[in-house]
PDB file of all heavy atoms in Angstrom:
ATOM      1  N   ARG A 159       9.259  -3.765  -9.044  1.00  0.00           N
ATOM      2  CA  ARG A 159       8.671  -4.489  -7.909  1.00  0.00           C
ATOM      3  C   ARG A 159       9.305  -4.123  -6.570  1.00  0.00           C
ATOM      4  O   ARG A 159       8.577  -3.954  -5.574  1.00  0.00           O
ATOM      5  CB  ARG A 159       8.753  -5.992  -8.149  1.00  0.00           C
ATOM      6  CG  ARG A 159       7.802  -6.498  -9.236  1.00  0.00           C
ATOM      7  CD  ARG A 159       7.955  -8.002  -9.439  1.00  0.00           C
ATOM      8  NE  ARG A 159       7.726  -8.721  -8.216  1.00  0.00           N
ATOM      9  CZ  ARG A 159       8.513  -9.703  -7.747  1.00  0.00           C
ATOM     10  NH1 ARG A 159       9.582 -10.070  -8.433  1.00  0.00           N
ATOM     11  NH2 ARG A 159       8.222 -10.311  -6.625  1.00  0.00           N
ATOM     12  N   PRO A 160      10.621  -4.011  -6.461  1.00  0.00           N
ATOM     13  CA  PRO A 160      11.188  -3.672  -5.147  1.00  0.00           C
ATOM     14  C   PRO A 160      10.653  -2.366  -4.585  1.00  0.00           C
ATOM     15  O   PRO A 160      10.383  -2.270  -3.377  1.00  0.00           O
ATOM     16  CB  PRO A 160      12.698  -3.597  -5.425  1.00  0.00           C
ATOM     17  CG  PRO A 160      12.903  -4.510  -6.584  1.00  0.00           C
ATOM     18  CD  PRO A 160      11.685  -4.335  -7.440  1.00  0.00           C
ATOM     19  N   ARG A 161      10.473  -1.362  -5.437  1.00  0.00           N
ATOM     20  CA  ARG A 161       9.943  -0.081  -4.975  1.00  0.00           C
ATOM     21  C   ARG A 161       8.506  -0.235  -4.465  1.00  0.00           C
ATOM     22  O   ARG A 161       8.139   0.274  -3.408  1.00  0.00           O
ATOM     23  CB  ARG A 161       9.975   0.933  -6.119  1.00  0.00           C
ATOM     24  CG  ARG A 161      11.367   1.307  -6.556  1.00  0.00           C
ATOM     25  CD  ARG A 161      11.920   2.402  -5.699  1.00  0.00           C
ATOM     26  NE  ARG A 161      13.314   2.641  -5.996  1.00  0.00           N
ATOM     27  CZ  ARG A 161      14.057   3.536  -5.376  1.00  0.00           C
ATOM     28  NH1 ARG A 161      13.524   4.263  -4.414  1.00  0.00           N
ATOM     29  NH2 ARG A 161      15.325   3.703  -5.678  1.00  0.00           N
ATOM     30  N   ALA A 162       7.691  -0.920  -5.254  1.00  0.00           N
ATOM     31  CA  ALA A 162       6.299  -1.124  -4.849  1.00  0.00           C
ATOM     32  C   ALA A 162       6.227  -1.957  -3.572  1.00  0.00           C
ATOM     33  O   ALA A 162       5.428  -1.685  -2.676  1.00  0.00           O
ATOM     34  CB  ALA A 162       5.518  -1.794  -5.973  1.00  0.00           C
ATOM     35  N   ASN A 163       7.076  -2.962  -3.468  1.00  0.00           N
ATOM     36  CA  ASN A 163       7.036  -3.843  -2.310  1.00  0.00           C
ATOM     37  C   ASN A 163       7.493  -3.147  -1.036  1.00  0.00           C
ATOM     38  O   ASN A 163       7.076  -3.522   0.060  1.00  0.00           O
ATOM     39  CB  ASN A 163       7.889  -5.085  -2.569  1.00  0.00           C
ATOM     40  CG  ASN A 163       7.202  -6.052  -3.499  1.00  0.00           C
ATOM     41  OD1 ASN A 163       5.978  -6.038  -3.633  1.00  0.00           O
ATOM     42  ND2 ASN A 163       7.962  -6.908  -4.171  1.00  0.00           N
ATOM     43  N   PHE A 164       8.332  -2.136  -1.159  1.00  0.00           N
ATOM     44  CA  PHE A 164       8.742  -1.383   0.024  1.00  0.00           C
ATOM     45  C   PHE A 164       7.540  -0.662   0.635  1.00  0.00           C
ATOM     46  O   PHE A 164       7.318  -0.705   1.842  1.00  0.00           O
ATOM     47  CB  PHE A 164       9.840  -0.389  -0.350  1.00  0.00           C
ATOM     48  CG  PHE A 164      10.327   0.446   0.792  1.00  0.00           C
ATOM     49  CD1 PHE A 164      10.618  -0.120   2.029  1.00  0.00           C
ATOM     50  CD2 PHE A 164      10.502   1.822   0.636  1.00  0.00           C
ATOM     51  CE1 PHE A 164      11.067   0.665   3.083  1.00  0.00           C
ATOM     52  CE2 PHE A 164      10.956   2.601   1.683  1.00  0.00           C
ATOM     53  CZ  PHE A 164      11.240   2.018   2.910  1.00  0.00           C
ATOM     54  N   SER A 165       6.740  -0.015  -0.211  1.00  0.00           N
ATOM     55  CA  SER A 165       5.524   0.640   0.296  1.00  0.00           C
ATOM     56  C   SER A 165       4.514  -0.391   0.787  1.00  0.00           C
ATOM     57  O   SER A 165       3.877  -0.204   1.825  1.00  0.00           O
ATOM     58  CB  SER A 165       4.891   1.502  -0.802  1.00  0.00           C
ATOM     59  OG  SER A 165       5.731   2.572  -1.150  1.00  0.00           O
ATOM     60  N   ALA A 166       4.375  -1.483   0.034  1.00  0.00           N
ATOM     61  CA  ALA A 166       3.403  -2.509   0.426  1.00  0.00           C
ATOM     62  C   ALA A 166       3.787  -3.147   1.754  1.00  0.00           C
ATOM     63  O   ALA A 166       2.916  -3.470   2.570  1.00  0.00           O
ATOM     64  CB  ALA A 166       3.302  -3.573  -0.660  1.00  0.00           C
ATOM     65  N   ALA A 167       5.084  -3.340   1.986  1.00  0.00           N
ATOM     66  CA  ALA A 167       5.529  -3.935   3.250  1.00  0.00           C
ATOM     67  C   ALA A 167       5.105  -3.075   4.429  1.00  0.00           C
ATOM     68  O   ALA A 167       4.568  -3.572   5.426  1.00  0.00           O
ATOM     69  CB  ALA A 167       7.048  -4.104   3.240  1.00  0.00           C
ATOM     70  N   ARG A 168       5.285  -1.773   4.310  1.00  0.00           N
ATOM     71  CA  ARG A 168       4.889  -0.874   5.400  1.00  0.00           C
ATOM     72  C   ARG A 168       3.375  -0.863   5.575  1.00  0.00           C
ATOM     73  O   ARG A 168       2.865  -0.742   6.694  1.00  0.00           O
ATOM     74  CB  ARG A 168       5.428   0.529   5.135  1.00  0.00           C
ATOM     75  CG  ARG A 168       6.953   0.628   5.295  1.00  0.00           C
ATOM     76  CD  ARG A 168       7.491   1.971   4.881  1.00  0.00           C
ATOM     77  NE  ARG A 168       7.455   2.126   3.430  1.00  0.00           N
ATOM     78  CZ  ARG A 168       7.652   3.291   2.821  1.00  0.00           C
ATOM     79  NH1 ARG A 168       7.873   4.385   3.525  1.00  0.00           N
ATOM     80  NH2 ARG A 168       7.623   3.357   1.497  1.00  0.00           N
ATOM     81  N   ALA A 169       2.652  -1.010   4.450  1.00  0.00           N
ATOM     82  CA  ALA A 169       1.191  -1.096   4.553  1.00  0.00           C
ATOM     83  C   ALA A 169       0.778  -2.381   5.266  1.00  0.00           C
ATOM     84  O   ALA A 169      -0.140  -2.383   6.088  1.00  0.00           O
ATOM     85  CB  ALA A 169       0.568  -1.033   3.164  1.00  0.00           C
ATOM     86  N   LEU A 182       8.128  -8.901   1.860  1.00  0.00           N
ATOM     87  CA  LEU A 182       8.271  -7.847   0.860  1.00  0.00           C
ATOM     88  C   LEU A 182       9.452  -6.926   1.176  1.00  0.00           C
ATOM     89  O   LEU A 182      10.087  -6.391   0.259  1.00  0.00           O
ATOM     90  CB  LEU A 182       6.976  -7.045   0.752  1.00  0.00           C
ATOM     91  CG  LEU A 182       5.764  -7.832   0.244  1.00  0.00           C
ATOM     92  CD1 LEU A 182       4.582  -6.901  -0.001  1.00  0.00           C
ATOM     93  CD2 LEU A 182       6.096  -8.598  -1.041  1.00  0.00           C
ATOM     94  N   ILE A 183       9.746  -6.740   2.449  1.00  0.00           N
ATOM     95  CA  ILE A 183      10.946  -5.983   2.812  1.00  0.00           C
ATOM     96  C   ILE A 183      12.184  -6.688   2.272  1.00  0.00           C
ATOM     97  O   ILE A 183      13.101  -6.054   1.720  1.00  0.00           O
ATOM     98  CB  ILE A 183      11.044  -5.813   4.342  1.00  0.00           C
ATOM     99  CG1 ILE A 183      10.082  -4.733   4.820  1.00  0.00           C
ATOM    100  CG2 ILE A 183      12.468  -5.475   4.774  1.00  0.00           C
ATOM    101  CD1 ILE A 183      10.458  -3.316   4.389  1.00  0.00           C
ATOM    102  N   ALA A 186      12.396  -6.137  -1.426  1.00  0.00           N
ATOM    103  CA  ALA A 186      12.876  -4.792  -1.732  1.00  0.00           C
ATOM    104  C   ALA A 186      14.373  -4.681  -1.496  1.00  0.00           C
ATOM    105  O   ALA A 186      15.099  -4.064  -2.279  1.00  0.00           O
ATOM    106  CB  ALA A 186      12.118  -3.766  -0.882  1.00  0.00           C
ATOM    107  N   PHE A 196      18.096   4.045  -1.365  1.00  0.00           N
ATOM    108  CA  PHE A 196      16.949   3.152  -1.230  1.00  0.00           C
ATOM    109  C   PHE A 196      17.279   1.984  -0.300  1.00  0.00           C
ATOM    110  O   PHE A 196      16.472   1.594   0.546  1.00  0.00           O
ATOM    111  CB  PHE A 196      16.532   2.637  -2.608  1.00  0.00           C
ATOM    112  CG  PHE A 196      15.352   1.700  -2.589  1.00  0.00           C
ATOM    113  CD1 PHE A 196      14.135   2.083  -2.065  1.00  0.00           C
ATOM    114  CD2 PHE A 196      15.464   0.410  -3.098  1.00  0.00           C
ATOM    115  CE1 PHE A 196      13.040   1.224  -2.048  1.00  0.00           C
ATOM    116  CE2 PHE A 196      14.390  -0.460  -3.094  1.00  0.00           C
ATOM    117  CZ  PHE A 196      13.179  -0.052  -2.565  1.00  0.00           C
ATOM    118  N   GLN A 199      16.969   3.007   3.255  1.00  0.00           N
ATOM    119  CA  GLN A 199      15.577   3.140   3.675  1.00  0.00           C
ATOM    120  C   GLN A 199      14.981   1.778   4.024  1.00  0.00           C
ATOM    121  O   GLN A 199      14.309   1.614   5.048  1.00  0.00           O
ATOM    122  CB  GLN A 199      14.753   3.799   2.573  1.00  0.00           C
ATOM    123  CG  GLN A 199      15.078   5.262   2.333  1.00  0.00           C
ATOM    124  CD  GLN A 199      14.328   5.816   1.138  1.00  0.00           C
ATOM    125  OE1 GLN A 199      13.784   5.073   0.329  1.00  0.00           O
ATOM    126  NE2 GLN A 199      14.295   7.129   1.019  1.00  0.00           N
ATOM    127  N   VAL A 200      15.229   0.804   3.148  1.00  0.00           N
ATOM    128  CA  VAL A 200      14.670  -0.533   3.373  1.00  0.00           C
ATOM    129  C   VAL A 200      15.324  -1.186   4.589  1.00  0.00           C
ATOM    130  O   VAL A 200      14.643  -1.830   5.396  1.00  0.00           O
ATOM    131  CB  VAL A 200      14.858  -1.415   2.122  1.00  0.00           C
ATOM    132  CG1 VAL A 200      14.295  -2.804   2.362  1.00  0.00           C
ATOM    133  CG2 VAL A 200      14.173  -0.773   0.916  1.00  0.00           C
ATOM    134  N   TYR A 203      13.765  -0.616   7.972  1.00  0.00           N
ATOM    135  CA  TYR A 203      12.586  -1.424   8.302  1.00  0.00           C
ATOM    136  C   TYR A 203      12.925  -2.904   8.437  1.00  0.00           C
ATOM    137  O   TYR A 203      12.211  -3.645   9.126  1.00  0.00           O
ATOM    138  CB  TYR A 203      11.499  -1.232   7.239  1.00  0.00           C
ATOM    139  CG  TYR A 203      10.800   0.091   7.345  1.00  0.00           C
ATOM    140  CD1 TYR A 203      11.283   1.199   6.657  1.00  0.00           C
ATOM    141  CD2 TYR A 203       9.673   0.255   8.144  1.00  0.00           C
ATOM    142  CE1 TYR A 203      10.652   2.437   6.764  1.00  0.00           C
ATOM    143  CE2 TYR A 203       9.035   1.480   8.247  1.00  0.00           C
ATOM    144  CZ  TYR A 203       9.532   2.572   7.562  1.00  0.00           C
ATOM    145  OH  TYR A 203       8.911   3.792   7.675  1.00  0.00           O
TER     146      TYR A 203
END
Side-chain angles (χ1 to χ4, degrees):
R159 289 179 57 227
R161 294 275 172 181
N163 284 337
F164 179 46
S165 295
R168 289 173 287 168
L182 296 188
I183 283 291
F196 180 58
Q199 291 174 345
V200 179
Y203 286 90

